[in-house]
Amino acid sequence: MTNLIPQTAKHEVAKEYWTRVVSIWVFILSGIFIIAGVLLIPVNVIINNRIDIYSGPAQEAVKDVTEYDLSSSVLIKSSARAGLIMKLDEKDRFSRIVKLIESLTNPGVKIDNFDFSRTDTGISPIAISGHADTRQTLAEFREILLSSGEIEDVLLPISNLARDKDITFNVTVTMKDTK
C-alpha cells in the first residue's frame, strides 16, 4: 500500500511523522525537567534553611576564635609581666632595707637620706647620710649594722670621726647576697 501513495505525499508523511516524534520527546523531556525541578524545590528550601540556621553559630564561632586569639596574646603578655614581677619580688626591696636599717639605728643617730641603686646582680652599695650626737654613737651604729645578718660591710670614712659631737656622717652599706 505504500506503493500507492505518491512520492511527494510520502515525503510529507515522513516529515509529519518525525515532527510528531520530536515534539513528543520534547514534551517528555520537558515534563521530566519540570518534575525534577518541582522535586528539587523542597531540597533547595531545606538546604537554604540549614545554611541560615548554621551561619549564626558559625559567625559566633569565628568571633569566639578571634576573641580567643586576642585573649591568648593578652595572656601571654600578662604571663611575661607576672614572671618579671616574680623576679623583682625575689630581689631585695628598697623599703625592706630602709626598715631594716632604721630599726638598727640607736637613739643618738638620725638618718637623713638613703641613696639606692640597682644593678644587674642586685642592689649596689647603699649610701646613708645623717647626723650622730657623738663619735661613740656613730661607732656603735656601725657595729650594730655589722652585727646584722643581712649586712656584709659598713664603710665609715675616718673623716666622719674628726669631730667629737654633732657629727654629719656618710656611711656606705653593702648588703649580703644581693643577687
mmCIF file of all heavy atoms in Angstrom, residues 28-69:
data_model
loop_
_atom_site.group_PDB
_atom_site.id
_atom_site.type_symbol
_atom_site.label_atom_id
_atom_site.label_comp_id
_atom_site.label_asym_id
_atom_site.label_seq_id
_atom_site.Cartn_x
_atom_site.Cartn_y
_atom_site.Cartn_z
ATOM 1 N N ILE A 28 8.121 15.038 26.581
ATOM 2 C CA ILE A 28 8.519 14.094 27.633
ATOM 3 C C ILE A 28 9.710 14.657 28.430
ATOM 4 O O ILE A 28 9.707 14.636 29.665
ATOM 5 C CB ILE A 28 8.863 12.716 27.021
ATOM 6 C CG1 ILE A 28 7.576 12.034 26.507
ATOM 7 C CG2 ILE A 28 9.550 11.820 28.040
ATOM 8 C CD1 ILE A 28 7.812 10.750 25.739
ATOM 9 N N LEU A 29 10.722 15.149 27.706
ATOM 10 C CA LEU A 29 11.908 15.707 28.388
ATOM 11 C C LEU A 29 11.543 16.946 29.208
ATOM 12 O O LEU A 29 12.029 17.119 30.335
ATOM 13 C CB LEU A 29 12.998 16.023 27.380
ATOM 14 C CG LEU A 29 13.700 14.802 26.770
ATOM 15 C CD1 LEU A 29 14.692 15.259 25.707
ATOM 16 C CD2 LEU A 29 14.405 13.991 27.833
ATOM 17 N N SER A 30 10.695 17.793 28.659
ATOM 18 C CA SER A 30 10.308 18.989 29.423
ATOM 19 C C SER A 30 9.492 18.582 30.646
ATOM 20 O O SER A 30 9.622 19.181 31.716
ATOM 21 C CB SER A 30 9.549 19.976 28.550
ATOM 22 O OG SER A 30 8.316 19.427 28.123
ATOM 23 N N GLY A 31 8.688 17.563 30.553
ATOM 24 C CA GLY A 31 7.941 17.059 31.712
ATOM 25 C C GLY A 31 8.885 16.515 32.762
ATOM 26 O O GLY A 31 8.684 16.736 33.971
ATOM 27 N N ILE A 32 9.915 15.774 32.299
ATOM 28 C CA ILE A 32 10.909 15.252 33.252
ATOM 29 C C ILE A 32 11.621 16.405 33.970
ATOM 30 O O ILE A 32 11.807 16.376 35.191
ATOM 31 C CB ILE A 32 11.901 14.325 32.524
ATOM 32 C CG1 ILE A 32 11.200 13.024 32.095
ATOM 33 C CG2 ILE A 32 13.092 14.014 33.404
ATOM 34 C CD1 ILE A 32 12.042 12.133 31.214
ATOM 35 N N PHE A 33 12.020 17.442 33.209
ATOM 36 C CA PHE A 33 12.700 18.592 33.830
ATOM 37 C C PHE A 33 11.781 19.338 34.790
ATOM 38 O O PHE A 33 12.212 19.778 35.859
ATOM 39 C CB PHE A 33 13.234 19.537 32.746
ATOM 40 C CG PHE A 33 14.470 19.033 32.065
ATOM 41 C CD1 PHE A 33 14.528 18.966 30.679
ATOM 42 C CD2 PHE A 33 15.567 18.618 32.790
ATOM 43 C CE1 PHE A 33 15.661 18.510 30.047
ATOM 44 C CE2 PHE A 33 16.704 18.158 32.156
ATOM 45 C CZ PHE A 33 16.758 18.099 30.774
ATOM 46 N N ILE A 34 10.521 19.469 34.436
ATOM 47 C CA ILE A 34 9.577 20.168 35.330
ATOM 48 C C ILE A 34 9.381 19.363 36.613
ATOM 49 O O ILE A 34 9.407 19.907 37.717
ATOM 50 C CB ILE A 34 8.246 20.425 34.609
ATOM 51 C CG1 ILE A 34 8.435 21.513 33.551
ATOM 52 C CG2 ILE A 34 7.157 20.838 35.597
ATOM 53 C CD1 ILE A 34 7.232 21.734 32.668
ATOM 54 N N ILE A 35 9.192 18.036 36.465
ATOM 55 C CA ILE A 35 9.013 17.195 37.653
ATOM 56 C C ILE A 35 10.269 17.217 38.521
ATOM 57 O O ILE A 35 10.194 17.332 39.757
ATOM 58 C CB ILE A 35 8.645 15.751 37.231
ATOM 59 C CG1 ILE A 35 7.229 15.728 36.645
ATOM 60 C CG2 ILE A 35 8.716 14.805 38.425
ATOM 61 C CD1 ILE A 35 6.842 14.410 36.009
ATOM 62 N N ALA A 36 11.465 17.131 37.897
ATOM 63 C CA ALA A 36 12.716 17.186 38.662
ATOM 64 C C ALA A 36 12.864 18.532 39.364
ATOM 65 O O ALA A 36 13.291 18.600 40.518
ATOM 66 C CB ALA A 36 13.899 16.927 37.740
ATOM 67 N N GLY A 37 12.497 19.609 38.668
ATOM 68 C CA GLY A 37 12.569 20.935 39.289
ATOM 69 C C GLY A 37 11.628 21.053 40.470
ATOM 70 O O GLY A 37 11.980 21.614 41.514
ATOM 71 N N VAL A 38 10.406 20.522 40.311
ATOM 72 C CA VAL A 38 9.432 20.575 41.400
ATOM 73 C C VAL A 38 9.924 19.725 42.579
ATOM 74 O O VAL A 38 9.764 20.097 43.744
ATOM 75 C CB VAL A 38 8.042 20.105 40.899
ATOM 76 C CG1 VAL A 38 7.091 19.864 42.052
ATOM 77 C CG2 VAL A 38 7.456 21.119 39.946
ATOM 78 N N LEU A 39 10.535 18.581 42.296
ATOM 79 C CA LEU A 39 11.048 17.734 43.372
ATOM 80 C C LEU A 39 12.274 18.337 44.065
ATOM 81 O O LEU A 39 12.535 18.048 45.223
ATOM 82 C CB LEU A 39 11.387 16.337 42.832
ATOM 83 C CG LEU A 39 10.187 15.491 42.399
ATOM 84 C CD1 LEU A 39 10.663 14.177 41.800
ATOM 85 C CD2 LEU A 39 9.244 15.234 43.559
ATOM 86 N N LEU A 40 13.026 19.182 43.362
ATOM 87 C CA LEU A 40 14.224 19.798 43.952
ATOM 88 C C LEU A 40 13.899 21.047 44.790
ATOM 89 O O LEU A 40 14.733 21.490 45.564
ATOM 90 C CB LEU A 40 15.231 20.157 42.862
ATOM 91 C CG LEU A 40 15.954 18.965 42.229
ATOM 92 C CD1 LEU A 40 16.858 19.455 41.110
ATOM 93 C CD2 LEU A 40 16.755 18.209 43.262
ATOM 94 N N ILE A 41 12.722 21.601 44.647
ATOM 95 C CA ILE A 41 12.356 22.809 45.412
ATOM 96 C C ILE A 41 12.414 22.545 46.924
ATOM 97 O O ILE A 41 13.015 23.330 47.662
ATOM 98 C CB ILE A 41 10.983 23.357 44.965
ATOM 99 C CG1 ILE A 41 11.126 23.997 43.594
ATOM 100 C CG2 ILE A 41 10.438 24.364 45.967
ATOM 101 C CD1 ILE A 41 9.807 24.454 42.996
ATOM 102 N N PRO A 42 11.825 21.468 47.459
ATOM 103 C CA PRO A 42 11.922 21.238 48.913
ATOM 104 C C PRO A 42 13.370 21.039 49.376
ATOM 105 O O PRO A 42 13.751 21.509 50.456
ATOM 106 C CB PRO A 42 11.099 19.964 49.150
ATOM 107 C CG PRO A 42 10.214 19.832 47.973
ATOM 108 C CD PRO A 42 10.924 20.484 46.831
ATOM 109 N N VAL A 43 14.158 20.350 48.571
ATOM 110 C CA VAL A 43 15.558 20.149 48.931
ATOM 111 C C VAL A 43 16.276 21.495 48.998
ATOM 112 O O VAL A 43 17.048 21.764 49.929
ATOM 113 C CB VAL A 43 16.238 19.195 47.920
ATOM 114 C CG1 VAL A 43 17.726 19.125 48.184
ATOM 115 C CG2 VAL A 43 15.610 17.816 47.983
ATOM 116 N N ASN A 44 16.031 22.357 48.034
ATOM 117 C CA ASN A 44 16.651 23.688 47.999
ATOM 118 C C ASN A 44 16.210 24.516 49.212
ATOM 119 O O ASN A 44 17.024 25.194 49.844
ATOM 120 C CB ASN A 44 16.289 24.392 46.689
ATOM 121 C CG ASN A 44 17.099 25.639 46.467
ATOM 122 O OD1 ASN A 44 18.115 25.857 47.104
ATOM 123 N ND2 ASN A 44 16.647 26.484 45.566
ATOM 124 N N VAL A 45 14.929 24.438 49.552
ATOM 125 C CA VAL A 45 14.424 25.173 50.716
ATOM 126 C C VAL A 45 15.076 24.645 51.995
ATOM 127 O O VAL A 45 15.502 25.416 52.867
ATOM 128 C CB VAL A 45 12.879 25.077 50.782
ATOM 129 C CG1 VAL A 45 12.359 25.587 52.118
ATOM 130 C CG2 VAL A 45 12.248 25.846 49.639
ATOM 131 N N ILE A 46 15.195 23.336 52.134
ATOM 132 C CA ILE A 46 15.799 22.747 53.332
ATOM 133 C C ILE A 46 17.271 23.152 53.436
ATOM 134 O O ILE A 46 17.765 23.511 54.508
ATOM 135 C CB ILE A 46 15.632 21.214 53.311
ATOM 136 C CG1 ILE A 46 14.166 20.857 53.541
ATOM 137 C CG2 ILE A 46 16.505 20.564 54.374
ATOM 138 C CD1 ILE A 46 13.863 19.376 53.373
ATOM 139 N N ILE A 47 17.978 23.101 52.318
ATOM 140 C CA ILE A 47 19.396 23.480 52.329
ATOM 141 C C ILE A 47 19.561 24.943 52.718
ATOM 142 O O ILE A 47 20.412 25.284 53.543
ATOM 143 C CB ILE A 47 20.038 23.183 50.952
ATOM 144 C CG1 ILE A 47 20.173 21.672 50.769
ATOM 145 C CG2 ILE A 47 21.405 23.859 50.846
ATOM 146 C CD1 ILE A 47 20.646 21.269 49.391
ATOM 147 N N ASN A 48 18.743 25.822 52.143
ATOM 148 C CA ASN A 48 18.831 27.252 52.494
ATOM 149 C C ASN A 48 18.498 27.486 53.966
ATOM 150 O O ASN A 48 19.131 28.311 54.626
ATOM 151 C CB ASN A 48 17.926 28.075 51.600
ATOM 152 C CG ASN A 48 18.484 28.218 50.205
ATOM 153 O OD1 ASN A 48 19.687 28.123 49.992
ATOM 154 N ND2 ASN A 48 17.621 28.435 49.232
ATOM 155 N N ASN A 49 17.501 26.750 54.493
ATOM 156 C CA ASN A 49 17.170 26.883 55.916
ATOM 157 C C ASN A 49 18.328 26.405 56.788
ATOM 158 O O ASN A 49 18.647 27.032 57.802
ATOM 159 C CB ASN A 49 15.905 26.096 56.253
ATOM 160 C CG ASN A 49 14.654 26.815 55.789
ATOM 161 O OD1 ASN A 49 14.667 28.008 55.527
ATOM 162 N ND2 ASN A 49 13.564 26.065 55.663
ATOM 163 N N ARG A 50 18.961 25.297 56.423
ATOM 164 C CA ARG A 50 20.100 24.788 57.185
ATOM 165 C C ARG A 50 21.273 25.778 57.137
ATOM 166 O O ARG A 50 21.945 25.974 58.145
ATOM 167 C CB ARG A 50 20.556 23.424 56.652
ATOM 168 C CG ARG A 50 19.567 22.334 56.861
ATOM 169 C CD ARG A 50 19.422 22.024 58.310
ATOM 170 N NE ARG A 50 18.404 20.987 58.470
ATOM 171 C CZ ARG A 50 17.870 20.653 59.595
ATOM 172 N NH1 ARG A 50 18.231 21.272 60.691
ATOM 173 N NH2 ARG A 50 16.965 19.721 59.658
ATOM 174 N N ILE A 51 21.470 26.375 55.989
ATOM 175 C CA ILE A 51 22.538 27.382 55.877
ATOM 176 C C ILE A 51 22.246 28.555 56.806
ATOM 177 O O ILE A 51 23.128 29.038 57.518
ATOM 178 C CB ILE A 51 22.696 27.852 54.415
ATOM 179 C CG1 ILE A 51 23.324 26.738 53.575
ATOM 180 C CG2 ILE A 51 23.550 29.109 54.334
ATOM 181 C CD1 ILE A 51 23.355 27.029 52.084
ATOM 182 N N ASP A 52 20.976 29.012 56.820
ATOM 183 C CA ASP A 52 20.608 30.108 57.713
ATOM 184 C C ASP A 52 20.755 29.706 59.183
ATOM 185 O O ASP A 52 21.198 30.501 60.017
ATOM 186 C CB ASP A 52 19.167 30.554 57.440
ATOM 187 C CG ASP A 52 19.011 31.237 56.088
ATOM 188 O OD1 ASP A 52 20.040 31.671 55.530
ATOM 189 O OD2 ASP A 52 17.872 31.320 55.592
ATOM 190 N N ILE A 53 20.387 28.457 59.499
ATOM 191 C CA ILE A 53 20.468 28.003 60.881
ATOM 192 C C ILE A 53 21.921 27.926 61.346
ATOM 193 O O ILE A 53 22.259 28.350 62.447
ATOM 194 C CB ILE A 53 19.776 26.623 61.034
ATOM 195 C CG1 ILE A 53 18.263 26.782 60.912
ATOM 196 C CG2 ILE A 53 20.129 25.981 62.370
ATOM 197 C CD1 ILE A 53 17.518 25.457 60.821
ATOM 198 N N TYR A 54 22.802 27.384 60.506
ATOM 199 C CA TYR A 54 24.196 27.175 60.914
ATOM 200 C C TYR A 54 25.089 28.380 60.677
ATOM 201 O O TYR A 54 26.204 28.417 61.188
ATOM 202 C CB TYR A 54 24.783 25.951 60.199
ATOM 203 C CG TYR A 54 24.140 24.656 60.646
ATOM 204 C CD1 TYR A 54 23.550 23.799 59.736
ATOM 205 C CD2 TYR A 54 24.122 24.311 61.990
ATOM 206 C CE1 TYR A 54 22.965 22.617 60.145
ATOM 207 C CE2 TYR A 54 23.531 23.129 62.403
ATOM 208 C CZ TYR A 54 22.947 22.284 61.479
ATOM 209 O OH TYR A 54 22.372 21.125 61.884
ATOM 210 N N SER A 55 24.644 29.361 59.942
ATOM 211 C CA SER A 55 25.500 30.532 59.707
ATOM 212 C C SER A 55 25.653 31.370 60.979
ATOM 213 O O SER A 55 26.714 31.925 61.239
ATOM 214 C CB SER A 55 24.963 31.382 58.560
ATOM 215 O OG SER A 55 23.723 31.976 58.911
ATOM 216 N N GLY A 56 24.617 31.445 61.793
ATOM 217 C CA GLY A 56 24.696 32.193 63.055
ATOM 218 C C GLY A 56 25.735 31.605 63.996
ATOM 219 O O GLY A 56 26.636 32.309 64.457
ATOM 220 N N PRO A 57 25.641 30.311 64.317
ATOM 221 C CA PRO A 57 26.680 29.719 65.176
ATOM 222 C C PRO A 57 28.072 29.758 64.547
ATOM 223 O O PRO A 57 29.063 29.893 65.258
ATOM 224 C CB PRO A 57 26.212 28.273 65.369
ATOM 225 C CG PRO A 57 24.739 28.321 65.174
ATOM 226 C CD PRO A 57 24.516 29.383 64.143
ATOM 227 N N ALA A 58 28.153 29.655 63.232
ATOM 228 C CA ALA A 58 29.469 29.725 62.582
ATOM 229 C C ALA A 58 30.074 31.111 62.764
ATOM 230 O O ALA A 58 31.276 31.240 63.029
ATOM 231 C CB ALA A 58 29.348 29.386 61.102
ATOM 232 N N GLN A 59 29.243 32.151 62.628
ATOM 233 C CA GLN A 59 29.754 33.513 62.837
ATOM 234 C C GLN A 59 30.158 33.712 64.296
ATOM 235 O O GLN A 59 31.155 34.367 64.587
ATOM 236 C CB GLN A 59 28.701 34.537 62.428
ATOM 237 C CG GLN A 59 28.480 34.605 60.929
ATOM 238 C CD GLN A 59 27.323 35.512 60.552
ATOM 239 O OE1 GLN A 59 26.594 35.992 61.410
ATOM 240 N NE2 GLN A 59 27.160 35.742 59.252
ATOM 241 N N GLU A 60 29.384 33.147 65.228
ATOM 242 C CA GLU A 60 29.752 33.238 66.640
ATOM 243 C C GLU A 60 31.057 32.500 66.909
ATOM 244 O O GLU A 60 31.884 32.961 67.696
ATOM 245 C CB GLU A 60 28.641 32.675 67.512
ATOM 246 C CG GLU A 60 27.399 33.538 67.563
ATOM 247 C CD GLU A 60 26.302 32.921 68.416
ATOM 248 O OE1 GLU A 60 26.618 32.055 69.264
ATOM 249 O OE2 GLU A 60 25.138 33.299 68.227
ATOM 250 N N ALA A 61 31.240 31.357 66.252
ATOM 251 C CA ALA A 61 32.482 30.604 66.424
ATOM 252 C C ALA A 61 33.671 31.389 65.893
ATOM 253 O O ALA A 61 34.737 31.413 66.514
ATOM 254 C CB ALA A 61 32.385 29.255 65.717
ATOM 255 N N VAL A 62 33.500 32.062 64.752
ATOM 256 C CA VAL A 62 34.576 32.890 64.203
ATOM 257 C C VAL A 62 34.882 34.033 65.168
ATOM 258 O O VAL A 62 36.045 34.348 65.432
ATOM 259 C CB VAL A 62 34.183 33.427 62.805
ATOM 260 C CG1 VAL A 62 35.119 34.520 62.358
ATOM 261 C CG2 VAL A 62 34.158 32.291 61.795
ATOM 262 N N LYS A 63 33.843 34.634 65.744
ATOM 263 C CA LYS A 63 34.034 35.720 66.709
ATOM 264 C C LYS A 63 34.737 35.186 67.963
ATOM 265 O O LYS A 63 35.637 35.834 68.498
ATOM 266 C CB LYS A 63 32.691 36.344 67.071
ATOM 267 C CG LYS A 63 32.800 37.567 67.959
ATOM 268 C CD LYS A 63 31.471 38.256 68.158
ATOM 269 C CE LYS A 63 30.647 37.448 69.115
ATOM 270 N NZ LYS A 63 29.396 38.093 69.538
ATOM 271 N N ASP A 64 34.333 33.988 68.424
ATOM 272 C CA ASP A 64 34.978 33.386 69.596
ATOM 273 C C ASP A 64 36.448 33.086 69.329
ATOM 274 O O ASP A 64 37.293 33.277 70.204
ATOM 275 C CB ASP A 64 34.256 32.103 70.010
ATOM 276 C CG ASP A 64 32.886 32.370 70.603
ATOM 277 O OD1 ASP A 64 32.608 33.547 70.942
ATOM 278 O OD2 ASP A 64 32.089 31.413 70.706
ATOM 279 N N VAL A 65 36.753 32.606 68.130
ATOM 280 C CA VAL A 65 38.154 32.326 67.782
ATOM 281 C C VAL A 65 38.959 33.620 67.781
ATOM 282 O O VAL A 65 40.084 33.671 68.275
ATOM 283 C CB VAL A 65 38.240 31.604 66.415
ATOM 284 C CG1 VAL A 65 39.653 31.601 65.879
ATOM 285 C CG2 VAL A 65 37.716 30.187 66.534
ATOM 286 N N THR A 66 38.379 34.688 67.247
ATOM 287 C CA THR A 66 39.058 35.981 67.242
ATOM 288 C C THR A 66 39.294 36.469 68.673
ATOM 289 O O THR A 66 40.380 36.935 69.000
ATOM 290 C CB THR A 66 38.222 37.012 66.459
ATOM 291 O OG1 THR A 66 37.961 36.508 65.164
ATOM 292 C CG2 THR A 66 38.941 38.334 66.349
ATOM 293 N N GLU A 67 38.275 36.343 69.518
ATOM 294 C CA GLU A 67 38.429 36.745 70.918
ATOM 295 C C GLU A 67 39.450 35.868 71.625
ATOM 296 O O GLU A 67 40.220 36.350 72.459
ATOM 297 C CB GLU A 67 37.082 36.675 71.638
ATOM 298 C CG GLU A 67 36.103 37.748 71.221
ATOM 299 C CD GLU A 67 34.744 37.589 71.885
ATOM 300 O OE1 GLU A 67 34.589 36.696 72.751
ATOM 301 O OE2 GLU A 67 33.839 38.348 71.530
ATOM 302 N N TYR A 68 39.468 34.579 71.294
ATOM 303 C CA TYR A 68 40.446 33.674 71.889
ATOM 304 C C TYR A 68 41.860 34.081 71.495
ATOM 305 O O TYR A 68 42.748 34.096 72.338
ATOM 306 C CB TYR A 68 40.173 32.234 71.461
ATOM 307 C CG TYR A 68 41.277 31.291 71.842
ATOM 308 C CD1 TYR A 68 41.417 30.855 73.146
ATOM 309 C CD2 TYR A 68 42.208 30.858 70.904
ATOM 310 C CE1 TYR A 68 42.439 30.008 73.514
ATOM 311 C CE2 TYR A 68 43.229 30.009 71.255
ATOM 312 C CZ TYR A 68 43.345 29.586 72.557
ATOM 313 O OH TYR A 68 44.367 28.754 72.905
ATOM 314 N N ASP A 69 42.054 34.404 70.221
ATOM 315 C CA ASP A 69 43.379 34.839 69.780
ATOM 316 C C ASP A 69 43.798 36.099 70.514
ATOM 317 O O ASP A 69 44.946 36.232 70.945
ATOM 318 C CB ASP A 69 43.393 35.076 68.266
ATOM 319 C CG ASP A 69 43.288 33.786 67.466
ATOM 320 O OD1 ASP A 69 43.566 32.713 68.046
ATOM 321 O OD2 ASP A 69 42.927 33.871 66.277
#
